[in-house]
Amino acid sequence: MAFQGPVIESIGMRRGGLWFGLVVGAGMAAVFLLLLAGAFRERPAGCAAWALGAFTVLLLYGAISCTRELVRPLPLLRVSAEGLAFRIRTGRGYWEAPWSQVVEIRAGEDGEGNACLDVELRPEPANPLPSVRMNSGLGPEHVLRFQSGNLAGDLALTAQRLEAYRRSFGEGR
């Protein structure tokens, strides 16, 4: 299912964490590459050098992913008259939930006291939640939870706006 109507609002990712991931990932990868250059030049590489090389590749992948998201950002949530589209699947695809499936949208707290945005969904066999979900934390069953560190903007205001959209589009049909 793909929503055909125009996007009314897009809610993006908080960019501070992306900049942090880029700087730390690239910086640590550069330091480890210098260490590895010396390790491979002097003698045959051991298991520790290969493990450090694998970790360096992971750091570079994280830095490249952060750079890609900073250069060409995609929103985490898209609101249309048909429903909500969540960027929670692996890759850069969206999972869509029609307004009839959205029960409630609220600002809350997780078990550790961190602010979060909870989107409660009615389970539908025809449109199940993806088994692998990124960008949404663990919440109660049938709830997508977005931590305050993931979404840009004030979560309480975002929850009020999204709930108003749900009431106007979902209950008006």
Side-chain angles (χ1 to χ4, degrees):
M1 132 182 48
F3 295 149
Q4 301 299 320
V7 175
I8 297 170
E9 183 176 352
S10 295
I11 300 168
M13 187 180 286
R14 192 175 296 259
R15 301 180 65 76
L18 294 171
W19 281 107
F20 182 77
L22 170 64
V23 170
V24 170
M28 288 181 67
V31 168
F32 290 157
L33 283 174
L34 290 174
L35 289 172
L36 287 170
F40 282 108
R41 192 173 5 155
E42 294 175 8
R43 60 188 178 284
C47 289
W50 287 107
L52 186 59
F55 185 64
T56 304
V57 169
L58 287 174
L59 286 171
L60 285 172
Y61 177 74
I64 290 168
S65 297
C66 290
T67 302
R68 183 180 65 186
E69 190 66 36
L70 286 166
V71 170
R72 197 174 57 117
L74 289 175
L76 287 178
L77 295 168
R78 293 190 305 193
V79 181
S80 69
E82 291 89 10
L84 292 173
F86 301 94
R87 189 170 141 213
I88 59 172
R89 290 196 294 191
T90 56
R92 294 173 73 84
Y94 286 88
W95 178 77
E96 296 172 332
W99 289 116
S100 61
Q101 193 173 354
V102 180
V103 176
E104 182 183 16
I105 302 169
R106 62 186 174 275
E109 289 185 353
D110 61 5
E112 299 169 358
N114 299 321
C116 60
L117 177 75
D118 288 341
V119 180
E120 186 177 346
L121 300 167
R122 182 175 294 111
E124 285 188 15
N127 188 26
L129 275 170
S131 58
V132 177
R133 295 183 303 198
M134 299 176 66
N135 301 325
S136 65
L138 299 174
E141 192 172 1
H142 307 297
V143 172
L144 289 177
R145 177 168 282 170
F146 295 92
Q147 301 294 331
S148 62
N150 288 349
L151 292 176
D154 184 4
L155 288 184
L157 293 174
T158 301
Q160 290 174 355
R161 279 194 324 272
L162 292 175
E163 181 65 15
Y165 288 135
R166 184 193 70 80
R167 287 186 185 146
S168 64
F169 292 123
E171 295 174 0
R173 293 182 178 204

